[in-house]
Amino acid sequence: MNTERRVALGGPLNFRDLGGYSTADGRALRWGRVYRSDSLHHLTDLDGSRLQAELGIRSALDFRANDELVEVGIGRLGDLDVRHVHLPTTDQAINVEPRSDWTPPSSAAEVYLNMMEHGGGAYAAALETLAAPENLPAVFFCMAGKDRTGVFAAVLLGLLGVADADIVTDYALTHEVIDGIHERTRATRPGFDEIWTRLPPEIIGAHAATMEGLLGLVRARWDSMTGYVAALGVQPETVEALRDALLTEP
Protein backbone atom coordinates (compact mmCIF):
# COMPACT_ATOMS: atom_id res chain seq x y z
CA MET A 1 0.00 0.00 0.00
CA ASN A 2 1.32 3.43 -0.96
CA THR A 3 1.37 5.79 2.04
CA GLU A 4 3.09 8.77 0.42
CA ARG A 5 1.20 12.03 0.94
CA ARG A 6 2.34 13.70 -2.28
CA VAL A 7 1.87 12.01 -5.63
CA ALA A 8 4.60 13.23 -7.98
CA LEU A 9 3.09 13.92 -11.41
CA GLY A 10 4.50 15.61 -14.47
CA GLY A 11 1.68 18.15 -14.81
CA PRO A 12 -0.24 18.87 -11.59
CA LEU A 13 1.99 20.22 -8.80
CA ASN A 14 -0.32 19.72 -5.83
CA PHE A 15 -1.74 16.19 -6.13
CA ARG A 16 -2.01 14.62 -2.66
CA ASP A 17 -3.51 11.59 -0.93
CA LEU A 18 -5.76 12.41 2.04
CA GLY A 19 -5.10 9.02 3.60
CA GLY A 20 -3.61 8.40 7.02
CA TYR A 21 -5.17 11.16 9.11
CA SER A 22 -6.50 9.85 12.43
CA THR A 23 -10.05 10.52 13.63
CA ALA A 24 -11.48 11.18 17.06
CA ASP A 25 -13.01 7.68 17.25
CA GLY A 26 -9.69 5.89 16.72
CA ARG A 27 -10.06 5.27 13.00
CA ALA A 28 -8.08 6.75 10.11
CA LEU A 29 -8.63 7.76 6.51
CA ARG A 30 -7.83 4.94 4.14
CA TRP A 31 -4.93 5.54 1.80
CA GLY A 32 -5.71 5.53 -1.90
CA ARG A 33 -9.41 6.41 -1.58
CA VAL A 34 -9.61 10.18 -2.03
CA TYR A 35 -7.11 12.68 -3.39
CA ARG A 36 -6.92 16.46 -3.80
CA SER A 37 -5.18 18.35 -6.59
CA ASP A 38 -4.65 21.48 -8.60
CA SER A 39 -6.26 21.55 -12.04
CA LEU A 40 -6.17 18.25 -13.88
CA HIS A 41 -6.12 19.92 -17.29
CA HIS A 42 -2.34 19.91 -16.70
CA LEU A 43 -2.15 16.09 -16.82
CA THR A 44 0.46 14.64 -19.16
CA ASP A 45 -0.06 11.39 -21.05
CA LEU A 46 2.02 9.55 -18.45
CA ASP A 47 0.06 11.19 -15.62
CA GLY A 48 -3.18 9.95 -17.18
CA SER A 49 -1.88 6.40 -17.31
CA ARG A 50 -0.83 6.59 -13.66
CA LEU A 51 -4.22 7.91 -12.57
CA GLN A 52 -5.90 4.85 -14.02
CA ALA A 53 -3.37 2.03 -13.81
CA GLU A 54 -1.72 2.95 -10.50
CA LEU A 55 -4.28 4.98 -8.54
CA GLY A 56 -7.43 3.51 -10.07
CA ILE A 57 -9.22 6.88 -10.12
CA ARG A 58 -12.88 6.50 -11.06
CA SER A 59 -14.19 10.04 -10.61
CA ALA A 60 -12.83 13.58 -10.70
CA LEU A 61 -14.79 16.28 -8.86
CA ASP A 62 -14.15 19.66 -10.47
CA PHE A 63 -14.84 22.80 -8.40
CA ARG A 64 -13.67 25.20 -11.12
CA ALA A 65 -16.08 27.89 -12.30
CA ASN A 66 -17.91 27.61 -15.60
CA ASP A 67 -15.68 30.21 -17.29
CA GLU A 68 -12.53 28.43 -16.11
CA LEU A 69 -13.76 25.18 -17.60
CA VAL A 70 -14.49 26.93 -20.89
CA GLU A 71 -11.08 28.66 -20.87
CA VAL A 72 -8.81 25.65 -20.24
CA GLY A 73 -11.06 22.58 -20.52
CA ILE A 74 -10.25 19.22 -18.94
CA GLY A 75 -7.31 18.24 -21.12
CA ARG A 76 -6.02 14.67 -20.92
CA LEU A 77 -8.67 13.85 -18.31
CA GLY A 78 -11.22 13.70 -21.11
CA ASP A 79 -9.38 10.77 -22.70
CA LEU A 80 -9.53 8.64 -19.56
CA ASP A 81 -12.19 6.27 -18.29
CA VAL A 82 -12.81 8.66 -15.39
CA ARG A 83 -16.15 10.27 -14.56
CA HIS A 84 -15.77 14.06 -14.70
CA VAL A 85 -18.20 15.67 -12.23
CA HIS A 86 -18.37 19.44 -12.67
CA LEU A 87 -19.46 21.09 -9.41
CA PRO A 88 -18.70 24.81 -9.75
CA THR A 89 -18.72 26.68 -6.46
CA THR A 90 -19.33 29.90 -8.43
CA ASP A 91 -20.48 30.62 -11.97
CA GLN A 92 -17.57 32.88 -12.88
CA ALA A 93 -14.07 33.34 -11.52
CA ILE A 94 -12.06 35.05 -14.28
CA ASN A 95 -11.94 38.85 -14.50
CA VAL A 96 -15.17 39.30 -12.56
CA GLU A 97 -15.61 42.93 -11.56
CA PRO A 98 -16.95 43.36 -8.01
CA ARG A 99 -20.27 45.15 -7.51
CA SER A 100 -20.14 48.80 -6.51
CA ASP A 101 -21.56 47.89 -3.08
CA TRP A 102 -19.07 45.05 -2.57
CA THR A 103 -17.23 45.07 0.76
CA PRO A 104 -13.84 43.31 0.63
CA PRO A 105 -13.48 40.50 3.18
CA SER A 106 -11.21 41.35 6.08
CA SER A 107 -9.23 38.09 6.03
CA ALA A 108 -8.55 35.02 3.91
CA ALA A 109 -10.53 33.02 6.47
CA GLU A 110 -13.54 35.23 5.77
CA VAL A 111 -13.11 34.63 2.03
CA TYR A 112 -13.27 30.91 2.74
CA LEU A 113 -16.33 31.29 4.94
CA ASN A 114 -18.03 33.01 1.99
CA MET A 115 -17.07 30.04 -0.17
CA MET A 116 -18.77 27.72 2.28
CA GLU A 117 -21.90 29.87 2.29
CA HIS A 118 -22.23 30.46 -1.45
CA GLY A 119 -20.64 27.25 -2.75
CA GLY A 120 -22.39 24.93 -0.34
CA GLY A 121 -24.45 23.25 -3.04
CA ALA A 122 -21.30 22.11 -4.82
CA TYR A 123 -19.79 20.83 -1.58
CA ALA A 124 -22.96 18.95 -0.64
CA ALA A 125 -23.03 17.29 -4.08
CA ALA A 126 -19.36 16.38 -3.71
CA LEU A 127 -20.05 14.66 -0.39
CA GLU A 128 -22.92 12.73 -1.95
CA THR A 129 -20.63 11.63 -4.79
CA LEU A 130 -17.87 10.45 -2.48
CA ALA A 131 -20.37 8.52 -0.35
CA ALA A 132 -21.08 6.17 -3.28
CA PRO A 133 -18.45 3.37 -3.36
CA GLU A 134 -18.67 3.06 -7.15
CA ASN A 135 -17.18 6.57 -7.45
CA LEU A 136 -14.04 5.72 -5.49
CA PRO A 137 -11.13 6.22 -5.67
CA ALA A 138 -11.78 9.88 -6.43
CA VAL A 139 -9.92 13.16 -6.74
CA PHE A 140 -11.31 16.66 -6.22
CA PHE A 141 -9.67 19.78 -7.61
CA CYS A 142 -9.91 23.44 -8.63
CA MET A 143 -7.32 25.64 -10.37
CA ALA A 144 -4.55 25.83 -7.75
CA GLY A 145 -5.86 23.13 -5.43
CA LYS A 146 -5.65 25.65 -2.59
CA ASP A 147 -8.85 27.64 -2.00
CA ARG A 148 -12.00 25.84 -3.17
CA THR A 149 -10.20 22.52 -2.86
CA GLY A 150 -8.65 23.47 0.48
CA VAL A 151 -12.01 24.44 1.93
CA PHE A 152 -13.64 21.20 0.78
CA ALA A 153 -10.75 19.18 2.20
CA ALA A 154 -11.36 20.90 5.54
CA VAL A 155 -15.08 20.14 5.33
CA LEU A 156 -14.47 16.49 4.52
CA LEU A 157 -11.74 15.95 7.10
CA GLY A 158 -13.68 17.77 9.81
CA LEU A 159 -16.83 15.81 9.04
CA LEU A 160 -14.90 12.55 9.36
CA GLY A 161 -13.55 13.56 12.78
CA VAL A 162 -9.99 14.59 11.91
CA ALA A 163 -8.43 16.96 14.46
CA ASP A 164 -8.13 20.67 13.69
CA ALA A 165 -4.33 20.48 13.86
CA ASP A 166 -4.24 17.91 11.05
CA ILE A 167 -6.72 19.89 8.94
CA VAL A 168 -4.48 22.94 9.29
CA THR A 169 -1.37 20.91 8.45
CA ASP A 170 -2.99 19.48 5.33
CA TYR A 171 -4.03 22.92 4.12
CA ALA A 172 -0.58 24.41 4.70
CA LEU A 173 1.14 21.71 2.61
CA THR A 174 0.01 23.65 -0.46
CA HIS A 175 2.32 26.50 0.57
CA GLU A 176 5.29 24.29 -0.34
CA VAL A 177 4.33 24.39 -4.02
CA ILE A 178 2.33 27.60 -4.33
CA ASP A 179 5.12 29.63 -5.94
CA GLY A 180 5.36 27.13 -8.80
CA ILE A 181 1.59 27.09 -9.23
CA HIS A 182 1.39 30.90 -9.39
CA GLU A 183 4.35 31.13 -11.77
CA ARG A 184 2.66 28.68 -14.14
CA THR A 185 -0.64 30.58 -13.95
CA ARG A 186 0.96 33.98 -14.60
CA ALA A 187 2.42 32.61 -17.83
CA THR A 188 -0.99 31.66 -19.21
CA ARG A 189 -3.55 34.02 -17.63
CA PRO A 190 -3.01 37.78 -18.13
CA GLY A 191 -4.26 39.87 -15.23
CA PHE A 192 -3.73 37.09 -12.70
CA ASP A 193 -1.95 39.32 -10.17
CA GLU A 194 -4.59 42.05 -10.43
CA ILE A 195 -7.28 39.68 -9.18
CA TRP A 196 -5.44 39.22 -5.87
CA THR A 197 -5.35 42.96 -5.17
CA ARG A 198 -9.07 42.80 -4.37
CA LEU A 199 -8.53 40.24 -1.61
CA PRO A 200 -6.66 40.06 1.71
CA PRO A 201 -2.93 39.73 0.93
CA GLU A 202 -2.39 36.52 2.88
CA ILE A 203 -4.65 34.58 0.53
CA ILE A 204 -1.89 34.50 -2.09
CA GLY A 205 -0.31 31.75 0.04
CA ALA A 206 -1.61 28.84 2.09
CA HIS A 207 -0.83 29.87 5.65
CA ALA A 208 -1.74 27.81 8.70
CA ALA A 209 -3.29 30.87 10.36
CA THR A 210 -5.84 31.14 7.55
CA MET A 211 -7.22 27.65 8.13
CA GLU A 212 -7.08 28.13 11.89
CA GLY A 213 -9.18 31.26 11.42
CA LEU A 214 -11.68 29.47 9.19
CA LEU A 215 -12.16 26.65 11.68
CA GLY A 216 -12.90 29.23 14.36
CA LEU A 217 -15.47 30.95 12.12
CA VAL A 218 -17.10 27.60 11.33
CA ARG A 219 -17.37 26.81 15.01
CA ALA A 220 -18.98 30.16 15.71
CA ARG A 221 -21.45 29.82 12.81
CA TRP A 222 -22.34 26.10 12.72
CA ASP A 223 -20.65 24.64 15.82
CA SER A 224 -18.76 22.07 13.70
CA MET A 225 -18.32 20.75 10.18
CA THR A 226 -21.05 18.28 11.01
CA GLY A 227 -23.35 21.22 11.76
CA TYR A 228 -22.36 22.91 8.50
CA VAL A 229 -23.05 19.80 6.45
CA ALA A 230 -26.41 19.33 8.17
CA ALA A 231 -27.28 22.95 7.30
CA LEU A 232 -26.59 22.09 3.64
CA GLY A 233 -29.19 19.33 3.84
CA VAL A 234 -26.78 16.40 3.68
CA GLN A 235 -28.52 13.48 5.37
CA PRO A 236 -27.00 11.53 8.30
CA GLU A 237 -27.03 8.34 6.24
CA THR A 238 -24.79 10.03 3.68
CA VAL A 239 -22.35 10.97 6.42
CA GLU A 240 -22.34 7.36 7.66
CA ALA A 241 -21.78 6.12 4.11
CA LEU A 242 -18.79 8.47 3.80
CA ARG A 243 -17.31 7.13 7.02
CA ASP A 244 -17.82 3.54 5.90
CA ALA A 245 -16.25 4.25 2.51
CA LEU A 246 -13.27 6.35 3.62
CA LEU A 247 -12.31 5.24 7.13
CA THR A 248 -10.58 2.14 8.44
CA GLU A 249 -12.44 -0.21 10.75
CA PRO A 250 -12.70 0.88 14.43
Side-chain angles (χ1 to χ4, degrees), residues 53-226:
E54 182 180 325
L55 305 182
I57 299 295
R58 293 181 179 175
S59 57
L61 283 57
D62 183 354
F63 295 131
R64 296 176 301 167
N66 293 316
D67 56 347
E68 291 171 320
L69 181 59
V70 169
E71 182 192 36
V72 299
I74 61 175
R76 181 74 174 86
L77 182 64
D79 300 326
L80 305 179
D81 185 20
V82 173
R83 181 187 176 206
H84 175 240
V85 185
H86 188 215
L87 302 171
T89 58
T90 184
D91 289 337
Q92 288 185 294
I94 305 167
N95 298 325
V96 177
E97 291 296 330
R99 301 186 313 272
S100 59
D101 61 346
W102 181 69
T103 301
S106 61
S107 67
E110 189 175 304
V111 174
Y112 289 170
L113 187 72
N114 289 337
M115 284 185 185
M116 293 179 69
E117 292 173 332
H118 300 295
Y123 289 156
L127 293 172
E128 297 279 356
T129 302
L130 294 179
E134 64 270 19
N135 291 325
L136 301 174
V139 56
F140 57 90
F141 68 99
C142 57
M143 288 300 283
K146 176 177 76 74
D147 304 314
R148 291 161 287 188
T149 292
V151 170
F152 181 70
V155 171
L156 180 62
L157 294 176
L159 181 64
L160 295 174
V162 173
D164 284 3
D166 286 333
I167 296 173
V168 170
T169 295
D170 185 77
Y171 170 77
L173 286 175
T174 293
H175 200 72
E176 299 174 357
V177 296
I178 198 62
D179 287 346
I181 290 172
H182 288 331
E183 181 180 356
R184 181 181 64 190
T185 305
R186 287 187 185 99
T188 58
R189 298 176 71 188
F192 169 75
D193 286 307
E194 193 276 331
I195 296 172
W196 298 101
T197 63
R198 308 171 191 165
L199 298 170
E202 72 271 17
I203 203 171
I204 196 74
H207 304 285
T210 294
M211 184 52 65
E212 290 168 351
L214 176 64
L215 295 175
L217 292 173
V218 167
R219 197 161 283 115
R221 179 72 58 88
W222 296 290
D223 189 54
S224 64
M225 288 300 183
T226 300

